[in-house]
Amino acid sequence: MKIVVVVIFIVFRTLSIFANGIINVKDFGALGNGVNDDTKSIQAAINAAPSFSETIIYFPAGVYNIASYTKTNIFLINYCIKFHSNLYIKGEGSKSVIRLADHLFDKKDTSANAHLFYGADIKNISISDLMIDMNGGRNLVPLNVIKNNAAIFAYGGENYYIHDITIKNCSGTNMLNIMKDGKSLIVENCRFINGGNYVGIPVANKGQIDFSFVYSEWDSTIVKNNIFQQQNIDIALANYCGGIELHGSNSTASNNSIEGCWPAIYITSSKRELENIIVESNKFLNCTIGLSFWVNYPMRNILIHNNTIHLAYPRSGKIAICAGIIVPNGNAKKYNINLANAAPIYDLQITGNTIEADSMQELSAGMVLHSLHQSKISGNAIKGMNYGGIVLQGSKWGTDSLSVDDNSFIDFRPNNDKNAVAGYFVVTDTYSNGMKNSPGYKGIVFSRNKFIRNKIKNAKNNSARGKFLGAFIAIPSRMKGEIKFENNDFMDPSEKIHFVKTD
């Protein structure tokens, strides 16, 4: 009789755990009291769920302490909690907190790091209604040690939906790290707070030399309606701290608010050719760089539309120029993947954006671009720069068929760099000097652009405001006829086209 009772109890408990496809982590021993190590209990709950059908792993209100992890033979993929396919991780919003324990990853041992949630080559994962506290202030990265502890790490896979969560204070390399071949990632209505150099305490996380809130190599990545925020930009901008990295084709970043990042968004062809990227209707506040292109393989069909970019100077002195949109190292002597200038960009459309800088310690420019083909820059407002509005640079691939029209250049400022030649347009090509067959510039047209000055309250040296060259063109003489100016509204006699031969 006693045996029958025990069997009935076990059956009843099992049925209650799987009722409606829901598993409660507390039924597997998780306490959620912020003290006990709940790692193994949460893993047991996940292991109990079938991998062939969707199951909700439910976190009731509480603080779930993650104080242990599993080491693998590759320290980059150590993990605290491991996923399998068809899981829906769900809590009660900010009441359900998953928190890394104190001093879990601040040891000098390289292998002493792990991702909180980890999945390899799995599919159909949903994570929502949670607060994830990476507790970076008590897990600072030691100098000269790599720490890759992400909140969520996916190594290959398909169909991840991450929405309505908050992740904060990440001391590792990336907050969301989505790598290898994969597709269909949606990150929506989330808050990402503090990471990299600033992890929520006054002491900088100096050992972390690189960071991004969301890093995705997957095709069809959609990042929309999220908040990315560094709450102390003076600490955050003393080192690189990226917002969103898009490495996969057919991807979109839209309607996000990104504050205190360097840069706000990377568009990167680091692994393969990249195509069909949209960056639209985002707001970038106090960012050292708005959008940065990392070009290892050709890019095609890129739309940058209706974004607002407000630039802030870096606190480290590691950068020569702050820019709203930049393709780096155009006038370089070398072209390779390490300089991110190893291929051209086809069909880049930059339209309807507002790019603004306050008084800057470094040089500032609206755009610094090179290697563009069949591209268009139109309808943008560029405000308060002290070096250039649109800066074009030469390269191994040249720039062919580019129209720059109907843009407004407003309230440009003087700068203190005696070696800088400033202008609304700055066009240079040092690559082509002495080379007969270099592609150079072909079919470049600047038309119907306007230059506006307004008196700014309490601005010093207002008489010098806007005393820029209208356009400074320093290229080989054979290219002069390839650059045309049509119906541009230069307002001041000093604002005119200055052409300098470099051959």
Side-chain angles (χ1 to χ4, degrees):
M1 185 69 177
K2 189 174 183 180
I3 295 174
V4 173
V5 172
V6 171
V7 170
I8 293 173
F9 173 77
I10 293 173
V11 171
F12 177 79
R13 182 176 183 275
T14 302
L15 290 174
S16 67
I17 289 172
F18 286 96
N20 301 315
I22 299 175
I23 293 179
N24 188 326
V25 295
K26 288 192 173 182
D27 287 336
F28 285 80
L31 298 181
N33 62 7
V35 178
N36 290 70
D37 182 3
D38 287 329
T39 309
K40 290 183 179 180
S41 297
I42 294 169
Q43 187 66 65
I46 290 172
N47 292 345
S51 62
F52 52 82
S53 62
E54 183 179 287
T55 302
I56 295 173
I57 306 298
Y58 173 60
F59 289 79
V63 178
Y64 298 87
N65 189 38
I66 306 300
S68 56
Y69 59 95
T70 299
K71 291 185 179 181
T72 70
N73 58 352
I74 303 174
F75 76 90
L76 294 176
I77 56 174
N78 294 343
Y79 62 87
C80 299
I81 298 167
K82 189 175 183 179
F83 287 158
H84 58 67
S85 294
N86 295 302
L87 294 175
Y88 188 170
I89 310 299
K90 183 177 176 60
E92 296 182 15
S94 60
K95 295 179 181 179
S96 300
V97 180
I98 300 175
R99 185 176 186 271
L100 285 182
D102 294 352
H103 309 299
L104 192 61
F105 298 138
D106 58 2
K107 303 174 183 64
K108 291 186 177 181
D109 179 10
T110 301
S111 64
N113 82 120
H115 307 294
L116 198 158
F117 291 126
Y118 167 75
D121 298 316
I122 60 176
K123 62 182 181 179
N124 302 331
I125 300 295
S126 177
I127 305 172
S128 71
D129 302 295
L130 292 171
M131 166 80 76
I132 299 176
D133 184 356
M134 298 300 287
N135 194 18
R138 293 184 179 271
N139 286 284
L140 297 177
V141 175
L143 294 176
N144 302 315
V145 178
I146 297 174
K147 296 291 183 179
N148 289 273
N149 47 294
I152 300 168
F153 182 88
Y155 192 69
E158 181 179 348
N159 193 23
Y160 275 54
Y161 183 31
I162 300 168
H163 65 100
D164 297 289
I165 66 173
T166 296
I167 309 177
K168 64 181 183 179
N169 301 332
C170 181
S171 64
T173 303
N174 299 302
M175 195 171 270
L176 264 60
N177 196 345
I178 313 297
M179 298 186 68
K180 199 187 170 190
D181 294 334
K183 64 180 181 179
S184 299
L185 166 71
I186 299 176
V187 181
E188 182 177 16
N189 295 328
C190 298
R191 298 179 73 238
F192 301 92
I193 311 297
N194 303 331
N197 207 53
Y198 180 67
V199 290
I201 62 172
V203 178
N205 185 37
K206 292 182 179 180
Q208 185 53 264
I209 60 174
D210 195 9
F211 169 81
S212 288
F213 282 109
V214 173
Y215 173 103
S216 178
E217 296 179 359
W218 288 9
D219 289 342
S220 302
T221 291
I222 298 174
V223 184
K224 62 181 180 179
N225 301 322
N226 303 285
I227 294 172
F228 301 84
Q229 184 182 27
Q230 300 283 14
Q231 294 177 317
N232 185 322
I233 65 169
D234 289 324
I235 296 178
L237 293 181
N239 216 325
Y240 299 111
C241 49
I244 302 168
E245 293 194 38
L246 299 176
H247 295 245
S249 294
N250 305 309
S251 295
T252 300
S254 63
N255 294 293
N256 300 289
S257 174
I258 304 176
E259 181 176 1
C261 287
W262 178 3
I265 293 182
Y266 274 110
I267 301 174
T268 71
S269 56
S270 60
K271 305 293 183 181
R272 56 192 179 275
E273 290 194 15
L274 190 73
E275 63 181 6
N276 304 328
I277 303 297
I278 298 173
V279 178
E280 185 173 34
S281 300
N282 301 284
K283 293 183 179 180
F284 307 153
L285 178 64
N286 292 325
C287 293
T288 296
I289 298 289
L291 287 92
S292 181
F293 287 75
W294 192 273
V295 189
N296 287 357
Y297 298 92
M299 295 184 181
R300 304 176 190 276
N301 192 23
I302 313 294
L303 175 63
I304 312 299
H305 176 65
N306 195 37
N307 301 283
T308 300
I309 303 172
H310 183 277
L311 299 177
Y313 69 92
R315 274 49 173 181
S316 67
K318 290 183 177 181
I319 190 172
I321 186 169
C322 301
I325 301 171
I326 187 168
V327 182
N329 299 317
N331 281 325
K333 294 181 180 180
K334 296 181 179 180
Y335 294 87
N336 57 48
I337 59 175
N338 294 323
L339 294 177
N341 62 357
I345 300 173
Y346 299 92
D347 192 16
L348 172 62
Q349 308 288 319
I350 303 176
T351 61
N353 303 282
T354 298
I355 305 172
E356 184 172 7
D358 288 336
S359 181
M360 305 280 284
Q361 296 184 20
E362 279 74 14
L363 296 179
S364 58
M367 306 177 197
V368 181
L369 308 169
H370 67 85
S371 304
L372 307 184
H373 296 257
Q374 296 85 48
S375 296
K376 184 180 185 67
I377 303 171
S378 181
N380 303 283
I382 301 175
K383 305 178 181 180
M385 303 300 154
N386 65 14
Y387 168 58
I390 296 175
V391 180
L392 301 181
Q393 298 179 338
S395 75
K396 180 178 179 179
W397 295 275
T399 291
D400 189 350
S401 301
L402 171 66
S403 64
V404 181
D405 59 70
D406 297 302
N407 301 285
S408 298
F409 301 82
I410 304 166
D411 290 334
F412 273 46
R413 306 170 186 270
N415 66 66
N416 297 318
D417 190 330
K418 295 180 180 179
N419 297 316
V421 178
Y424 298 114
F425 304 124
V426 177
V427 183
T428 58
D429 184 356
T430 58
Y431 173 81
S432 298
N433 287 347
M435 299 179 63
K436 293 182 179 180
N437 298 317
S438 65
Y441 292 104
K442 295 179 182 178
I444 314 301
V445 180
F446 296 89
S447 63
R448 302 184 306 278
N449 298 286
K450 296 182 179 180
F451 310 97
I452 303 167
R453 296 192 204 149
N454 295 310
K455 188 174 181 180
I456 299 178
K457 293 180 179 180
N458 301 321
K460 295 181 179 180
N461 196 18
N462 253 340
S463 62
R465 183 173 308 286
K467 296 297 182 182
F468 280 61
L469 304 174
F472 177 77
I473 315 296
I475 57 176
S477 56
R478 65 184 171 84
M479 299 179 194
K480 183 177 180 181
E482 296 289 344
I483 298 179
K484 298 180 180 180
F485 291 85
E486 301 174 351
N487 301 315
N488 295 286
D489 185 14
F490 293 110
M491 298 176 62
D492 188 284
S494 67
E495 297 171 350
K496 56 185 179 181
I497 300 167
H498 296 257
F499 176 71
V500 177
K501 295 187 295 183
T502 61
D503 50 4

